[in-house]
Amino acid sequence: MKSIKLFFYFVFSIPMCFWAQNKATINIENNSALDRKEAVVAISWKNILERYPEIDTSNFVVINTKTKKQVIFQLEHRMSSAIQNLLIQVDIKAKSKLTFSIQKGKPEIFTVKTYARYVPERKDDFAWENDKIAFRTYGKAIEGSNEDAYGFDVWVKRTNKMIINERYKLADYHTDHGDGLDYYQVGHTLGAGNMAPYVKDSIRYSANYHRWKMLDNGPLRSTFQLIYDSWNAGGIKIGVIKTISLDAGSQLSRIENNYTFDETQTLPIVAGISKRANPGKILLNEQQGIMAYWEPASDKNGTTATGVILTTPVSNMWADKIQLLAKTTVQNNEPVIYYSGAAWDKAGKFTDAKKWFDYLENFYHEINNPLVVSVK
């Protein structure tokens, strides 16, 4: 009897951390009919801590239980001191399941696949990129000059390396040095998928962004905010904060715009894509909210493709002389989420309009059929 008492005393006197689980298991299911390649998946850090409370954030690895190999990961903060999500990148077949183990170990050094930064040395540009494509937008310092533009710019690339810093350092980004260049023309349009209010049948462009905040910066997802000064948009005072994320492997940025205004209950807005004088190929799919453009080929620089996918109902899509436009509405202080991006035929993945349009349609289905994630 005494030995039994000693046993129970021993068991219950052991600290609870001794019994804590020293790993967690992640299950990811693809219930759609589409294969997912290079998908960045977010796993709630709170759910991981519930299963693995003693995890050391500087000494853990994510292992594919089938291949036994490490998987690239990122701790996403969303500008918070606390971790919000664990991001991993996966390839997963249609109607299939993957399992990963989070356990103690030394993580490998993985290649950075996304990057973003404010560029004060070039008139307040803000630039962002991944292993497929690059973009930039314009800041206060360039306003009033002949270089100013309203929309998003595209920097085409045919390398998986990060090129923003090198191109700015060379200050010769209009020349292709073997990895791509900036030859996209934005002008007085929304460029490659920017958004603006549409009041009294006119686009009400804001000035350029005035402030910025970096939320996360790679290796799998870079997220930042652009804050704009309020402006008079056809008699309505409007302000906006744009939160932009770009995932590794994606041609499209995720953009969340939060408009504030007082004079009306709803605000008409449009997303736009620059249109060229020569004929190109256009897709206007109002039902699915997909607007796409395969530009006419440049003599020496190939073809840039651009696209937008709206997640809110589209009331109209049309093409005018200088741009394609997709119209929707937004509530005051409620975010509107959409996707915009580009591709370059010289990168080799999209060599005709059909391949680009198919990519956007598949992307639409991926948005509406997200991967299912569980932690055990």
Side-chain angles (χ1 to χ4, degrees), residues 94-136:
K95 304 295 182 181
S96 68
K97 177 179 176 180
L98 292 176
T99 302
F100 300 88
S101 176
I102 304 175
Q103 59 196 54
K104 186 176 180 179
K106 183 179 180 180
E108 297 174 8
I109 298 174
F110 292 102
T111 302
V112 172
K113 297 183 178 183
T114 71
Y115 177 67
R117 80 170 176 98
Y118 168 59
V119 190
E121 69 270 27
R122 203 284 179 188
K123 300 180 181 179
D124 292 345
D125 281 3
F126 202 102
W128 66 105
E129 67 176 318
N130 66 3
D131 49 348
K132 306 295 182 185
I133 195 75
F135 306 94
R136 69 168 169 168

Side-chain angles (χ1 to χ4, degrees), residues 34 251-252 273-274 279-285 288-296 303-309 317 324 341-344 349-366:
L34 295 172
Q251 303 290 150
L252 307 181
I273 294 173
S274 294
K281 295 186 178 180
I282 295 171
L283 173 67
L284 301 177
N285 182 340
Q288 294 182 329
I290 303 172
M291 180 172 66
Y293 188 42
W294 184 262
E295 291 195 344
T303 300
T304 297
T306 48
V308 166
I309 303 175
M317 284 184 180
L324 314 180
W344 190 34
K349 184 176 180 180
F350 304 100
T351 52
D352 58 46
K354 183 180 184 306
K355 289 179 181 177
W356 177 239
F357 296 168
D358 286 347
Y359 174 82
L360 295 174
E361 185 174 348
N362 287 343
F363 201 104
Y364 164 84
H365 288 295
E366 290 173 2

Side-chain angles (χ1 to χ4, degrees), residues 264-276:
T264 181
Q265 294 296 315
T266 60
L267 178 72
I269 52 176
V270 289
I273 294 173
S274 294
K275 179 174 169 284
R276 309 307 171 198

Side-chain angles (χ1 to χ4, degrees), residues 39-59:
V40 175
V41 183
I43 302 102
S44 166
W45 190 251
K46 180 181 177 181
N47 291 347
I48 292 170
L49 286 178
E50 288 175 354
R51 298 294 181 179
Y52 190 180
E54 300 302 314
I55 188 171
D56 180 351
T57 56
S58 63
N59 190 35

Side-chain angles (χ1 to χ4, degrees), residues 83-102:
I83 300 167
Q84 303 300 305
N85 295 302
L86 171 70
L87 306 178
I88 63 174
Q89 189 175 39
V90 304
D91 292 337
I92 182 168
K93 295 287 188 181
K95 304 295 182 181
S96 68
K97 177 179 176 180
L98 292 176
T99 302
F100 300 88
S101 176
I102 304 175

